[in-house]
Amino acid sequence: MQITYSWEPFISYGQKKEIKKNTILYSQGEIGNGFYYLHEGEIQIKMLSDKGDERIIDYISPGELLGEQGVKGEPYFTTAKITKPSTIFFYSKEDLQTICKKHSAASDIILNSLVKKVRLLAETVSIQDSSMEHQLAYIIYKLYRKTQNPCISIDQTSLSNYIGTSRVTIYKILQQWKENEIVNITDRKIRIINVNKFQNLLY
């Protein structure tokens, strides 16, 4: 059998669910009983810091897994909120065992996805002491790499929640980037017009 690195061939093993916007899929600290695959829609990932501040750390796009640690009955280390009407598939520990018996590549997909989540958390913590401009550049560039699309659909309020600052601060930074011909700003979208200049903001 040809090895696949997509979870899509395994969706029939899961329990399909249609979830409404603003639904909390799971909460940080909640004991998990399985994991999820996003087939359609969008899911916001938030994390509560030791100081009690809740910050957005990621957006899950179709084709991605989430909540992998739940398959071992461990607490979820983030909160997942549905931001668009979504179609998801839920997998229990037993479902995963069935899949792995038939498809050896499945365990590698799970492991790779979990490693990416741990790396994301580590990177999020590592930039918390950076300037607001650097944190904003990191978030936008991460979304750009994830989607391979220079036009990022996200509003300034969400960006302010991402890095824990005011919307006014976000607006000022974006306007400066616009004046320097690094980005264009339209309604709820940020387009990177010069990738090289934007990458320089990260260093």
Side-chain angles (χ1 to χ4, degrees):
M1 184 188 73
Q2 184 179 4
I3 295 177
T4 177
Y5 292 97
S6 167
W7 194 260
E8 191 70 20
F10 311 135
I11 61 173
S12 61
Y13 292 91
Q15 179 184 349
K16 184 177 180 180
K17 297 183 178 183
E18 302 289 345
I19 311 292
K20 295 180 179 180
K21 181 180 178 180
N22 294 326
T23 300
I24 301 298
L25 188 60
Y26 57 78
S27 298
Q28 184 174 339
E30 176 186 337
I31 301 299
N33 61 351
F35 67 100
Y36 301 87
Y37 171 76
L38 179 61
H39 183 59
E40 294 179 352
E42 181 184 76
I43 300 176
Q44 182 188 83
I45 303 298
K46 300 186 290 184
M47 182 175 66
L48 191 66
S49 71
D50 294 336
K51 298 179 181 179
D53 301 321
E54 189 174 58
R55 297 181 62 175
I56 300 169
I57 63 170
D58 199 12
Y59 280 90
I60 301 296
S61 302
E64 293 188 84
L65 300 173
L66 66 155
E68 296 92 335
Q69 66 275 19
V71 79
K72 289 189 174 183
E74 298 177 355
Y76 294 115
F77 47 68
T78 57
T79 294
K81 180 182 178 181
I82 306 296
T83 50
K84 295 179 181 178
S86 299
T87 301
I88 65 171
F89 288 82
F90 171 77
Y91 300 85
S92 66
K93 179 180 179 179
E94 292 72 26
D95 293 331
L96 180 59
Q97 289 174 340
T98 299
I99 295 170
C100 289
K101 285 179 181 178
K102 298 181 179 180
H103 309 277
S104 59
S107 58
D108 289 336
I109 296 173
I110 292 286
L111 180 59
N112 288 338
S113 180
L114 188 55
V115 167
K116 287 180 182 179
K117 303 295 170 47
V118 173
R119 185 181 296 126
L120 170 65
L121 290 175
E123 290 177 350
T124 300
V125 171
S126 69
I127 67 166
Q128 286 183 348
D129 294 330
S130 303
S131 68
M132 290 300 173
E133 181 177 26
H134 183 268
Q135 291 187 50
L136 182 59
Y138 166 80
I139 294 300
I140 293 176
Y141 191 68
K142 181 185 70 174
L143 295 174
Y144 160 68
R145 285 188 306 169
K146 189 173 186 177
T147 62
Q148 293 298 303
N149 186 345
C151 189
I152 295 101
S153 298
I154 189 168
D155 59 48
Q156 295 180 30
T157 299
S158 294
L159 285 170
S160 67
N161 290 334
Y162 242 125
I163 62 175
T165 190
S166 68
R167 187 178 178 279
V168 173
T169 299
I170 298 297
Y171 175 80
K172 289 180 178 178
I173 295 172
L174 290 176
Q175 288 300 314
Q176 184 63 52
W177 290 353
K178 183 178 180 180
E179 291 175 10
N180 292 335
E181 299 183 339
I182 300 174
V183 302
N184 275 336
I185 305 167
T186 56
D187 184 34
R188 301 176 68 86
K189 290 184 180 180
I190 299 169
R191 176 179 287 277
I192 300 174
I193 57 176
N194 190 315
V195 175
N196 289 333
K197 279 188 177 182
F198 197 91
Q199 288 175 327
N200 290 335
L201 297 170
L202 300 170
Y203 305 103

